[in-house]
Amino acid sequence: MCASSVFAATAATPDAEIESKINALLAKMTLEEKIGQLNQQTGTGYSDDMVGSIRKGAVGSILNEVDPVIVNKLQHEAVENSRLGIPLIFARDVVHGFKTIFPIPLGQAASWNPALVEQGARIAAVEAASTGVRWTFSPMVDVSRDGRWGRIAESFGEDPYLASVLGVSMVKGYQTDDLSQPGTMAACTKHFAGYGASESGKDYNTTWIPEVLLRDMYLPPFEAAARAGSATFMCSFNDINGVPSSGNPHLNIDILRNEWGFDGVLVSDWASIMQMIPQGVCVDLKDAADRAANSGVDVDMESYAYTRHLKELVEEGKVEESTIDNLVRNVLRLKFRLGLFDNPYVDMATANNFYAPESLEAAKKMVEESTVMLKNNDILPLKNVKKIALVGPMADDKHNQAGTWCFDLEKEHCVTPLEALTEKYGKDAIIYAPGLKYSRDIDESGIADAVAAAREADVVVMVGGEEAVLSGEAHCRADISLPGAQTKMLEALKATGKPVVLIIMTGRPMTIVHETNLADAVLYMFHGGTMAGPAVAEMLAGEVSPSGKLPVSMPKMVGQLPLYYNHVNTGRPASGMVLI
């Protein structure tokens, strides 16, 4: 779908009429009010400071306010009590579900099912928009080749084409073909660009990406999202070849605006404008504001560089007011496309619309389609089983099965494997002995209980992996093996002679060669969200097939990283070379 077809349908009025309204509004705005539209800050509830800023027109969008009552009260201040009545946008990281949590994006990529990914985004948008959230910071389309990097969990893996297709699916799911309608959110394609190439798999690290590699590998998913009508983009934290994305005119203006024709909003990542100071390219916050504004960054998220310094920079002639006007145009255009000037408030009659039965069913289906069967020695589906030993630290962990980036998780709604298997087979058929309290637990005292349970059972189901906190932003791992004493427990279980089904819940590819050899069957499932348990029960029983395919290469050892299938051939391949 081309960008123009999406944008033509994202507002009730034609684009020409919107542009006319934008120009008329800009003509009335003071410089301070223009700068206010470029300022995004974290919500503080209905506080005096926030109300004062809104009434002055000093804030254009608010992060992390999800109470629809507070949203409406703050919106009332903007619409009724500010000089120009420009509505606010409320934003939130809705990454793989709002209340109904789907598998992490890396798991969704394992489904290879664009329609199901779009449906998941649609459900997330309906739930989040019912609280007033109309802007999500998703999808993340960073091509990710290093399993040590924690944010690989948020990505669609290592292939640029798969990331392109699924990124577009999420954009369509969030926005539909009419962004002005209730139940939609503006997508934010991130992180622009090259963040997945962070050296050594360390978050926020530098990148060195030649232009040909940038265009062949890292930019295609972003271009696809731009041409599909992604309403917003987000700068990445990293630099590319020494130039941070928040101060990179080649990336933001030459490519995004001029080559791809993007006319949406480019927002900084959290304080990424300010972070150009420690990155060594700006001497102070004023210098950072200068560089970001002249590099086409429309919205300053949590650096407060624009509110503190843009007016002075305009007065000094370092930033032209026409440059500010162009940034503001993009913000106002988004607000018109979202229909906020006509319908700024949350409809309280339909507020807090969560956990529809069809949403839970879709979440379960995604778990099933994203679970990869790595091995099966004719153990699955379970047959003629009277007793199941259910062990492992992830077997009954509502919080950690949801995965990273679940700010709005209500874990009481998560159904664990223990709950689902007990419901399916009956309480007397399940012998539950976790053995370890959490994934990193090195206390082996509980393993004996797990072994005792195994001896009483016909089959052992071990649910292991890693806690949610071990992946995501700033949660990178130098060692991506199974943490804690899980491998020792698996060895002890195998020694009982009972068949062992190993289920891995994780946020990344892991080095599990030894564990795969030990187990009789292995189901590799990325953190599965709300409905991970029912999906596990149905897959073990053979009611559905785990149909996922890996979206990332699985290293045998960490020293192979970064690892990816589409590497350039060398002059001396491992085999097949003929010398003449």
Side-chain angles (χ1 to χ4, degrees):
M1 188 185 332
C2 67
S4 59
S5 66
V6 173
F7 283 151
T10 54
T13 51
D15 280 358
E17 186 173 345
I18 287 178
E19 298 306 311
S20 177
K21 289 180 178 180
I22 290 171
N23 290 333
L25 195 51
L26 263 174
K28 300 175 184 177
M29 297 175 75
T30 65
L31 178 57
E32 291 84 355
E33 288 169 331
K34 293 174 184 178
I35 293 169
Q37 287 300 304
L38 312 181
N39 178 40
Q40 182 175 100
Q41 61 190 68
T42 301
T44 56
Y46 191 71
S47 65
D48 290 343
D49 286 346
M50 181 61 75
V51 169
S53 294
I54 292 170
R55 288 178 176 177
K56 290 189 297 183
V59 56
S61 52
I62 294 176
L63 283 165
N64 300 336
E65 182 56 71
V66 295
D67 182 339
V69 174
I70 300 298
V71 166
N72 279 350
K73 290 177 70 175
L74 294 175
Q75 193 70 281
H76 177 82
E77 296 294 344
V79 172
E80 302 297 335
N81 295 326
S82 70
R83 189 176 76 90
L84 296 174
I86 301 173
L88 300 162
I89 308 177
F90 292 87
R92 183 73 158 171
D93 282 283
V94 182
V95 175
H96 55 108
F98 185 66
K99 296 294 185 180
T100 302
I101 306 300
F102 277 66
I104 59 173
L106 189 59
Q108 295 189 42
S111 76
W112 296 70
N113 188 335
L116 193 53
V117 171
E118 181 178 344
Q119 183 183 14
R122 182 86 292 275
I123 289 166
V126 168
E127 290 192 343
S130 76
T131 71
V133 174
R134 298 295 307 280
W135 187 2
T136 178
F137 301 122
S138 172
M140 176 180 141
V141 298
D142 295 301
V143 171
S144 305
R145 294 170 155 186
D146 196 326
R148 295 172 296 182
W149 190 47
R151 300 197 80 164
I152 195 172
E154 303 168 52
S155 80
F156 295 122
E158 69 189 52
D159 183 76
Y161 180 72
L162 182 61
S164 299
V165 171
L166 298 186
V168 168
S169 295
M170 274 199 174
V171 169
K172 291 166 62 179
Y174 291 137
Q175 298 186 172
T176 73
D177 59 356
D178 188 349
L179 195 54
S180 69
Q181 293 302 304
T184 62
M185 292 192 296
C188 185
T189 303
K190 66 182 187 183
H191 304 85
F192 193 60
Y195 192 21
S198 293
E199 287 187 359
S200 305
K202 294 191 295 185
D203 215 351
Y204 317 123
N205 209 3
T206 188
T207 65
W208 189 266
I209 309 174
E211 184 85 3
V212 64
L213 182 62
L214 183 69
R215 290 183 177 272
D216 283 354
M217 187 59 56
Y218 294 102
L219 290 187
F222 290 97
E223 182 176 4
R227 299 195 184 282
S230 179
T232 73
F233 269 55
M234 179 184 285
C235 298
S236 57
F237 281 122
N238 60 288
D239 67 60
I240 297 178
N241 308 340
V243 183
S245 295
S246 297
N248 192 327
H250 175 57
L251 193 66
N252 302 336
I253 297 174
D254 296 345
I255 297 175
L256 181 62
R257 299 289 183 189
N258 296 340
E259 287 188 26
W260 300 347
F262 178 71
D263 67 350
V265 166
L266 177 63
V267 59
S268 78
D269 206 335
W270 185 286
S272 66
I273 293 176
M274 177 179 65
Q275 289 169 19
M276 289 193 288
I277 304 169
Q279 284 177 304
V281 298
C282 296
V283 297
D284 54 25
L285 193 62
K286 181 179 177 181
D287 189 24
D290 181 351
R291 181 151 187 157
N294 282 313
S295 296
V297 180
D298 301 309
V299 173
D300 176 3
M301 180 196 292
E302 283 291 328
S303 282
Y304 302 98
Y306 285 179
T307 54
R308 293 175 183 173
H309 297 292
L310 271 189
K311 182 180 179 183
E312 183 181 3
L313 287 166
V314 170
E315 292 170 348
E316 294 175 355
K318 294 180 179 178
V319 177
E320 297 292 334
E321 188 162 358
S322 60
T323 297
I324 305 297
D325 288 348
N326 287 332
L327 304 182
V328 176
R329 278 192 179 91
N330 295 330
V331 174
L332 295 178
R333 187 177 298 117
L334 176 61
K335 293 183 177 185
F336 277 111
R337 286 175 172 164
L338 283 165
L340 291 173
F341 283 90
D342 295 323
N343 297 293
Y345 299 113
V346 181
D347 182 356
M348 295 305 296
T350 57
N352 299 325
N353 180 16
F354 313 137
Y355 306 115
E358 57 271 24
S359 300
L360 296 173
E361 182 62 29
K364 179 167 68 70
K365 184 178 181 182
M366 178 61 86
V367 180
E368 294 160 357
E369 293 203 12
S370 63
T371 298
V372 183
M373 181 179 283
L374 296 183
K375 179 180 181 181
N376 184 20
N377 289 343
D378 199 31
I379 299 301
L380 297 178
L382 299 180
K383 303 178 289 287
N384 302 318
V385 170
K386 295 180 179 179
K387 292 282 187 181
I388 299 173
L390 182 62
V391 304
M394 301 289 287
D396 190 36
D397 192 334
K398 291 176 177 288
H399 175 81
N400 285 305
Q401 76 175 36
T404 185
W405 285 105
C406 293
F407 288 157
D408 299 287
L409 172 69
E410 295 173 329
K411 63 182 182 180
E412 62 271 20
H413 287 273
C414 290
V415 185
T416 67
L418 174 61
E419 292 171 330
L421 288 168
T422 300
E423 181 178 352
K424 179 168 291 294
Y425 290 96
K427 185 175 181 181
D428 293 340
I430 306 299
I431 310 170
Y432 174 58
L436 301 169
K437 295 178 181 178
Y438 57 99
S439 73
R440 289 170 289 169
D441 191 0
I442 59 174
D443 182 356
E444 300 177 29
S445 61
I447 294 179
D449 292 336
V451 169
R455 291 194 174 112
E456 294 182 39
D458 302 306
V459 65
V460 181
V461 176
M462 176 176 166
V463 189
E466 61 178 9
E467 298 148 77
V469 74
L470 294 185
S471 61
E473 184 173 353
H475 294 101
C476 306
R477 295 183 61 195
D479 178 358
I480 56 172
S481 63
L482 210 57
Q486 293 183 73
T487 299
K488 289 185 178 180
M489 185 166 77
L490 180 60
E491 291 169 341
L493 293 168
K494 182 64 175 178
T496 67
K498 298 298 177 72
V500 179
V501 177
L502 176 62
I503 299 174
I504 300 290
M505 293 184 179
T506 181
R508 55 165 50 85
M510 302 183 76
T511 52
I512 55 167
V513 174
H514 177 54
E515 292 80 3
T516 300
N517 289 335
L518 285 173
D520 297 283
V522 180
L523 295 180
Y524 202 85
M525 55 188 299
F526 300 96
H527 290 132
T530 303
M531 298 297 286
V536 165
E538 291 185 6
M539 287 186 289
L540 292 179
E543 296 171 7
V544 296
S545 174
S547 56
K549 297 95 176 169
L550 289 171
V552 288
S553 299
M554 296 281 285
K556 290 186 175 182
M557 57 181 58
V558 73
Q560 294 175 289
L561 296 172
L563 184 67
Y564 44 96
Y565 82 95
N566 51 354
H567 55 79
V568 176
N569 289 337
T570 67
R572 290 183 178 268
S575 62
M577 188 175 78
V578 177
L579 297 177
I580 297 176

mmCIF file of all heavy atoms in Angstrom, residues 291-311:
data_model
loop_
_atom_site.group_PDB
_atom_site.id
_atom_site.type_symbol
_atom_site.label_atom_id
_atom_site.label_comp_id
_atom_site.label_asym_id
_atom_site.label_seq_id
_atom_site.Cartn_x
_atom_site.Cartn_y
_atom_site.Cartn_z
ATOM 1 N N ARG A 291 21.270 21.494 16.939
ATOM 2 C CA ARG A 291 21.562 20.421 15.996
ATOM 3 C C ARG A 291 20.316 19.597 15.690
ATOM 4 O O ARG A 291 20.068 19.220 14.535
ATOM 5 C CB ARG A 291 22.664 19.528 16.550
ATOM 6 C CG ARG A 291 23.041 18.396 15.623
ATOM 7 C CD ARG A 291 24.465 17.975 15.795
ATOM 8 N NE ARG A 291 24.840 17.000 14.786
ATOM 9 C CZ ARG A 291 26.089 16.776 14.398
ATOM 10 N NH1 ARG A 291 27.074 17.504 14.899
ATOM 11 N NH2 ARG A 291 26.354 15.859 13.493
ATOM 12 N N ALA A 292 19.512 19.289 16.703
ATOM 13 C CA ALA A 292 18.320 18.463 16.485
ATOM 14 C C ALA A 292 17.301 19.182 15.615
ATOM 15 O O ALA A 292 16.744 18.604 14.674
ATOM 16 C CB ALA A 292 17.712 18.074 17.826
ATOM 17 N N ALA A 293 17.033 20.455 15.917
ATOM 18 C CA ALA A 293 16.038 21.202 15.142
ATOM 19 C C ALA A 293 16.462 21.335 13.688
ATOM 20 O O ALA A 293 15.644 21.172 12.769
ATOM 21 C CB ALA A 293 15.818 22.575 15.761
ATOM 22 N N ASN A 294 17.734 21.626 13.471
ATOM 23 C CA ASN A 294 18.219 21.765 12.100
ATOM 24 C C ASN A 294 18.418 20.430 11.393
ATOM 25 O O ASN A 294 18.691 20.403 10.188
ATOM 26 C CB ASN A 294 19.526 22.562 12.098
ATOM 27 C CG ASN A 294 19.286 24.061 12.266
ATOM 28 O OD1 ASN A 294 18.427 24.633 11.588
ATOM 29 N ND2 ASN A 294 20.010 24.678 13.181
ATOM 30 N N SER A 295 18.248 19.326 12.144
ATOM 31 C CA SER A 295 18.311 17.986 11.553
ATOM 32 C C SER A 295 16.927 17.385 11.387
ATOM 33 O O SER A 295 16.801 16.196 11.071
ATOM 34 C CB SER A 295 19.172 17.061 12.429
ATOM 35 O OG SER A 295 20.511 17.512 12.480
ATOM 36 N N GLY A 296 15.886 18.189 11.604
ATOM 37 C CA GLY A 296 14.537 17.743 11.289
ATOM 38 C C GLY A 296 13.827 16.952 12.360
ATOM 39 O O GLY A 296 12.844 16.269 12.056
ATOM 40 N N VAL A 297 14.262 17.014 13.618
ATOM 41 C CA VAL A 297 13.569 16.309 14.699
ATOM 42 C C VAL A 297 12.416 17.185 15.175
ATOM 43 O O VAL A 297 12.637 18.270 15.721
ATOM 44 C CB VAL A 297 14.527 15.976 15.861
ATOM 45 C CG1 VAL A 297 13.776 15.244 16.973
ATOM 46 C CG2 VAL A 297 15.699 15.139 15.364
ATOM 47 N N ASP A 298 11.189 16.707 14.989
ATOM 48 C CA ASP A 298 10.006 17.517 15.268
ATOM 49 C C ASP A 298 9.683 17.631 16.749
ATOM 50 O O ASP A 298 9.263 18.691 17.220
ATOM 51 C CB ASP A 298 8.778 16.922 14.566
ATOM 52 C CG ASP A 298 8.946 16.845 13.063
ATOM 53 O OD1 ASP A 298 9.314 17.873 12.462
ATOM 54 O OD2 ASP A 298 8.713 15.766 12.493
ATOM 55 N N VAL A 299 9.817 16.529 17.473
ATOM 56 C CA VAL A 299 9.361 16.481 18.863
ATOM 57 C C VAL A 299 10.512 16.060 19.757
ATOM 58 O O VAL A 299 11.192 15.065 19.500
ATOM 59 C CB VAL A 299 8.173 15.505 19.020
ATOM 60 C CG1 VAL A 299 7.810 15.329 20.499
ATOM 61 C CG2 VAL A 299 6.967 16.008 18.242
ATOM 62 N N ASP A 300 10.705 16.818 20.808
ATOM 63 C CA ASP A 300 11.729 16.556 21.813
ATOM 64 C C ASP A 300 11.091 15.794 22.965
ATOM 65 O O ASP A 300 10.303 16.340 23.730
ATOM 66 C CB ASP A 300 12.308 17.887 22.299
ATOM 67 C CG ASP A 300 13.318 17.741 23.426
ATOM 68 O OD1 ASP A 300 13.640 16.604 23.811
ATOM 69 O OD2 ASP A 300 13.776 18.786 23.935
ATOM 70 N N MET A 301 11.426 14.516 23.073
ATOM 71 C CA MET A 301 10.910 13.694 24.162
ATOM 72 C C MET A 301 11.863 13.741 25.352
ATOM 73 O O MET A 301 12.950 13.171 25.322
ATOM 74 C CB MET A 301 10.735 12.238 23.711
ATOM 75 C CG MET A 301 10.186 11.310 24.801
ATOM 76 S SD MET A 301 10.399 9.542 24.466
ATOM 77 C CE MET A 301 9.321 9.288 23.083
ATOM 78 N N GLU A 302 11.460 14.456 26.365
ATOM 79 C CA GLU A 302 12.084 14.416 27.684
ATOM 80 C C GLU A 302 13.534 14.934 27.755
ATOM 81 O O GLU A 302 14.237 14.630 28.707
ATOM 82 C CB GLU A 302 12.032 12.992 28.244
ATOM 83 C CG GLU A 302 10.663 12.609 28.785
ATOM 84 C CD GLU A 302 10.284 13.373 30.055
ATOM 85 O OE1 GLU A 302 11.177 13.713 30.846
ATOM 86 O OE2 GLU A 302 9.091 13.648 30.237
ATOM 87 N N SER A 303 13.969 15.727 26.783
ATOM 88 C CA SER A 303 15.261 16.404 26.925
ATOM 89 C C SER A 303 15.079 17.846 27.381
ATOM 90 O O SER A 303 16.010 18.444 27.945
ATOM 91 C CB SER A 303 16.048 16.389 25.610
ATOM 92 O OG SER A 303 16.649 15.151 25.366
ATOM 93 N N TYR A 304 13.903 18.422 27.063
ATOM 94 C CA TYR A 304 13.585 19.821 27.372
ATOM 95 C C TYR A 304 14.590 20.780 26.752
ATOM 96 O O TYR A 304 14.796 21.905 27.228
ATOM 97 C CB TYR A 304 13.478 20.040 28.896
ATOM 98 C CG TYR A 304 12.429 19.153 29.512
ATOM 99 C CD1 TYR A 304 12.780 17.954 30.127
ATOM 100 C CD2 TYR A 304 11.078 19.474 29.450
ATOM 101 C CE1 TYR A 304 11.816 17.119 30.666
ATOM 102 C CE2 TYR A 304 10.110 18.642 29.989
ATOM 103 C CZ TYR A 304 10.486 17.463 30.591
ATOM 104 O OH TYR A 304 9.517 16.633 31.117
ATOM 105 N N ALA A 305 15.236 20.304 25.687
ATOM 106 C CA ALA A 305 16.191 21.154 24.974
ATOM 107 C C ALA A 305 15.464 22.247 24.210
ATOM 108 O O ALA A 305 15.913 23.410 24.176
ATOM 109 C CB ALA A 305 17.033 20.298 24.032
ATOM 110 N N TYR A 306 14.342 21.911 23.594
ATOM 111 C CA TYR A 306 13.613 22.883 22.784
ATOM 112 C C TYR A 306 12.977 23.953 23.662
ATOM 113 O O TYR A 306 13.050 25.150 23.351
ATOM 114 C CB TYR A 306 12.533 22.179 21.959
ATOM 115 C CG TYR A 306 13.054 21.393 20.770
ATOM 116 C CD1 TYR A 306 12.171 20.680 19.954
ATOM 117 C CD2 TYR A 306 14.412 21.353 20.449
ATOM 118 C CE1 TYR A 306 12.619 19.963 18.847
ATOM 119 C CE2 TYR A 306 14.867 20.633 19.362
ATOM 120 C CZ TYR A 306 13.969 19.944 18.555
ATOM 121 O OH TYR A 306 14.423 19.242 17.465
ATOM 122 N N THR A 307 12.329 23.549 24.749
ATOM 123 C CA THR A 307 11.658 24.540 25.599
ATOM 124 C C THR A 307 12.652 25.484 26.254
ATOM 125 O O THR A 307 12.330 26.648 26.515
ATOM 126 C CB THR A 307 10.816 23.850 26.691
ATOM 127 O OG1 THR A 307 11.638 22.940 27.425
ATOM 128 C CG2 THR A 307 9.652 23.087 26.073
ATOM 129 N N ARG A 308 13.847 25.027 26.492
ATOM 130 C CA ARG A 308 14.838 25.861 27.184
ATOM 131 C C ARG A 308 15.659 26.726 26.236
ATOM 132 O O ARG A 308 16.150 27.782 26.638
ATOM 133 C CB ARG A 308 15.773 24.962 28.007
ATOM 134 C CG ARG A 308 15.072 24.272 29.163
ATOM 135 C CD ARG A 308 15.986 23.294 29.887
ATOM 136 N NE ARG A 308 15.279 22.587 30.949
ATOM 137 C CZ ARG A 308 15.789 21.589 31.663
ATOM 138 N NH1 ARG A 308 17.028 21.168 31.424
ATOM 139 N NH2 ARG A 308 15.080 20.997 32.609
ATOM 140 N N HIS A 309 15.805 26.295 24.982
ATOM 141 C CA HIS A 309 16.807 26.973 24.155
ATOM 142 C C HIS A 309 16.358 27.380 22.755
ATOM 143 O O HIS A 309 17.052 28.177 22.111
ATOM 144 C CB HIS A 309 18.057 26.092 24.034
ATOM 145 C CG HIS A 309 18.739 25.836 25.340
ATOM 146 N ND1 HIS A 309 19.377 26.829 26.050
ATOM 147 C CD2 HIS A 309 18.867 24.688 26.073
ATOM 148 C CE1 HIS A 309 19.892 26.319 27.163
ATOM 149 N NE2 HIS A 309 19.599 25.028 27.203
ATOM 150 N N LEU A 310 15.248 26.884 22.243
ATOM 151 C CA LEU A 310 14.920 27.203 20.848
ATOM 152 C C LEU A 310 14.632 28.679 20.629
ATOM 153 O O LEU A 310 15.023 29.260 19.612
ATOM 154 C CB LEU A 310 13.721 26.364 20.372
ATOM 155 C CG LEU A 310 14.022 25.003 19.748
ATOM 156 C CD1 LEU A 310 12.763 24.408 19.137
ATOM 157 C CD2 LEU A 310 15.127 25.096 18.694
ATOM 158 N N LYS A 311 13.938 29.312 21.562
ATOM 159 C CA LYS A 311 13.625 30.730 21.392
ATOM 160 C C LYS A 311 14.909 31.549 21.266
ATOM 161 O O LYS A 311 15.040 32.404 20.370
ATOM 162 C CB LYS A 311 12.784 31.240 22.555
ATOM 163 C CG LYS A 311 12.384 32.703 22.395
ATOM 164 C CD LYS A 311 11.548 33.186 23.575
ATOM 165 C CE LYS A 311 11.183 34.669 23.402
ATOM 166 N NZ LYS A 311 10.419 35.189 24.564
#
